[in-house]
Amino acid sequence: MKKALITGISGQDGSYLTELLLSEGYQVHGMIRRSSTFNTGRIDHIYRDPHNGEKAKMRLHYGDLASSDSLQNVISAVEPDEIYNLAAQSHVRVSFDMPEYTGDVTGLGTLRLLEAIRRTGGNVRFYQASTSELFGSASPPQSETTPFEPQSPYAVAKAYAHWITNNYRDGYGIFASSGILFNHESPRRGETFVTRKITRAVAAILAGRQKHLYMGNLDSKRDWGYAPEYVEVMWRLLQHDEPADLVIGTGEAHTVREFLEEAFGYVGLDYQEYVRIDPQYFRPTEVDYLLAEASKARDLLGWEPKIRFKDLVRIMMDADLELQGLESPGEGKCLLAERFDGWHRWEDQVVSMDK
Ligand code: NAP
Ligand code: GDD
């Protein structure tokens, strides 16, 4: 049985990758940070396999990308065949508030992990979660040959992580591959990323728990895909004969405004009645236009995304409507009759922590 170690297992991608690897027969080990409250909400359902009632083949270990000894300890204890480095301070806006921390965890953290691999000398395969943010202000479409023009402390930290991964591949012969993934979303997406912020808000507005949605730049364009399809590429990349760097995206870009139109429109609302602009959500430097040219992934791995923009919005909307106890309009139900109930009971949600 193969063993995989996932850093960032409690995040969106970590949770989907765990499910995939378990279904492929792996024993999965995940690194989590110590927290004063539970931080495993996305993977709690995996502890127990519903099909046979036995414990799933997943184990969690405490560790942190900021701490070399914890990485060394986890790798020595697990002796993994594959390591997926998904952990990061992954929020671009937050990286402007915490540039040093982001550089330490997202950038140097990758070096610490690679050093631990080099020192233990095992024959491990390593996946680095690189990002389309590396391209920054480079003209779209962006492919593996597009020069990096990072535009945030997060992107600069990821550029360091990307290049140090290449350096350890070239210098020490480590089987290390980087997936340069464009934005990918799901019902498990963190609540402060723009897609989830929108779908949550639309559902809360319908439920009468929120009145307005405060947003930043509506004109930036992103190539949004569906996270479960993207974690499959991570795994397939490590099964390939040779290590490689690979761009993953749908090849279709939309503005944040279009996402708003689609999400509000899905439940029959006009976003302009609810959305307000708040300057706190603008970034000192913005990435205007990300669009993947992912033909190498198609040629190398035969990978093609199936879920497109409208389906993605629908999947996320349906999940957030369900969380609010509302039914999907996709089943022909009328949601609008009750949408104003309760507004008087709620003021706008606290937005200060909402990036
Ligand atoms: P996410 O939901 O924000 O998850 C990040 C994970 O990293 C969480 O498990 C988090 O733990 C963990 N983490 C944060 N700081 C850590 C530290 N110091 N030590 C150990 N673990 C730490 O991110 P995601 O969307 O799943 O993305 C996964 C990776 O892909 C990230 O590296 C991200 O930068 C990159 N990426 C994401 C996208 C995208 O569109 N989603 C696109 C390209 C690249 P807690 O749960 O304790 O916070
Ligand atoms: N988060 C957020 N909140 N973004 C907003 C808002 C808002 O209220 N209003 C407008 N936006 C705009 C941002 O300025 C940005 O142009 C766009 O929406 C997308 O923002 P995010 O969803 O925060 O994602 P991101 O593109 O900055 O970064 C994500 O994708 C990267 C891959 O390209 C993250 O997942 C990164 O970790 C990942 O590397």
Side-chain angles (χ1 to χ4, degrees), residues 8-14 31 33 39 42 63-66 85-90 101 105 129-132 154 158 181-185 189-190 193:
I9 193 170
S10 57
Q12 170 189 257
D13 291 2
M31 197 180 83
R33 300 192 283 178
N39 60 354
R42 292 188 181 98
D64 197 303
L65 283 188
N85 183 30
L86 309 187
Q89 191 303 92
S90 71
Y101 175 78
V105 168
S130 286
T131 163
S132 50
Y154 166 78
K158 280 286 187 181
L181 271 52
F182 283 61
N183 300 50
H184 45 280
E185 320 293 312
R189 184 57 146 152
F193 296 99

Side-chain angles (χ1 to χ4, degrees), residues 3 5 7 29-32 59-80 83 112-120:
K3 284 187 279 186
L5 171 64
T7 73
H29 294 258
M31 197 180 83
I32 56 163
R59 268 202 62 195
L60 300 179
H61 308 257
Y62 284 112
D64 197 303
L65 283 188
S67 143
S68 304
D69 59 346
S70 72
L71 301 176
Q72 196 91 49
N73 289 342
V74 174
I75 291 175
S76 300
V78 174
E79 297 183 338
I83 297 179
R112 293 186 185 103
L113 200 49
L114 286 163
E115 260 300 285
I117 292 169
R118 187 179 73 81
R119 285 174 194 215
T120 47

Side-chain angles (χ1 to χ4, degrees), residues 2-9 13-14 17-18 21 26-32 61 64-65 68 70-88 109-130 161 165 168-169 174-179 231 233-239 243-244:
K2 274 196 190 174
K3 284 187 279 186
L5 171 64
I6 303 175
T7 73
I9 193 170
D13 291 2
L17 182 63
T18 301
L21 295 178
Y26 282 68
Q27 185 181 77
V28 177
H29 294 258
M31 197 180 83
I32 56 163
H61 308 257
D64 197 303
L65 283 188
S68 304
S70 72
L71 301 176
Q72 196 91 49
N73 289 342
V74 174
I75 291 175
S76 300
V78 174
E79 297 183 338
D81 301 289
E82 296 170 11
I83 297 179
Y84 297 85
N85 183 30
L86 309 187
T110 305
L111 169 71
R112 293 186 185 103
L113 200 49
L114 286 163
E115 260 300 285
I117 292 169
R118 187 179 73 81
R119 285 174 194 215
T120 47
N123 209 12
V124 64
R125 292 189 170 204
F126 179 77
Y127 174 88
Q128 170 58 19
S130 286
T165 301
Y168 272 59
R169 176 167 72 208
I174 293 174
F175 190 110
S177 292
S178 294
V231 301
V233 188
M234 299 175 184
W235 173 65
R236 280 160 71 168
L237 192 50
L238 288 201
Q239 311 317 303

